[in-house]
Amino acid sequence: MRCHDGLQTGWWTRVQPNRPDQWLWPYDGVQKLINDQKLSTLGEILWTPPWASKATSGKQKPETAPPKEWSYFERFVTEVVKHYRQSIKYWEI
């Protein structure tokens, strides 16, 4: 399965929507169902949450802008890959 609109395990805007010290995993239950069916998942790393976005007001959507600090992105990718290491082997960025 390819994670996209239906399974947003690697969407930064879903996992850390409000701040860098907040970690939400809203798709763990869905991923468990996929695992239980012995299906493979291709994870996707997408979107930048507003708190991490380099976008300036009105010029670019926050979610499509690069992060203002690449260390935020590095930490997110590291944590999401670790969190799903038993379920998702391959990631698309």
Side-chain angles (χ1 to χ4, degrees), residues 47-61:
W47 313 125
T48 306
W51 65 265
S53 180
K54 194 175 188 173
T56 56
S57 61
K59 293 191 177 190
Q60 187 174 26
K61 292 181 179 182

Side-chain angles (χ1 to χ4, degrees), residues 13 19 23 25 28-29 36 39 41 49 51 55 64-65 71 73 76 78 81-82 87 89 93:
T13 51
R19 59 186 187 272
W23 296 92
W25 306 104
D28 282 1
D36 291 347
L39 296 170
T41 301
W51 65 265
T64 62
S71 62
F73 180 71
F76 165 71
T78 299
V81 169
K82 279 184 0 186
S87 301
K89 293 182 182 182
I93 300 177

Side-chain angles (χ1 to χ4, degrees), residues 22-42:
Q22 175 188 48
W23 296 92
L24 305 176
W25 306 104
Y27 297 95
D28 282 1
V30 177
Q31 185 60 54
K32 183 183 179 326
L33 291 172
I34 293 167
N35 295 346
D36 291 347
Q37 295 302 311
K38 308 285 191 244
L39 296 170
S40 298
T41 301
L42 172 63

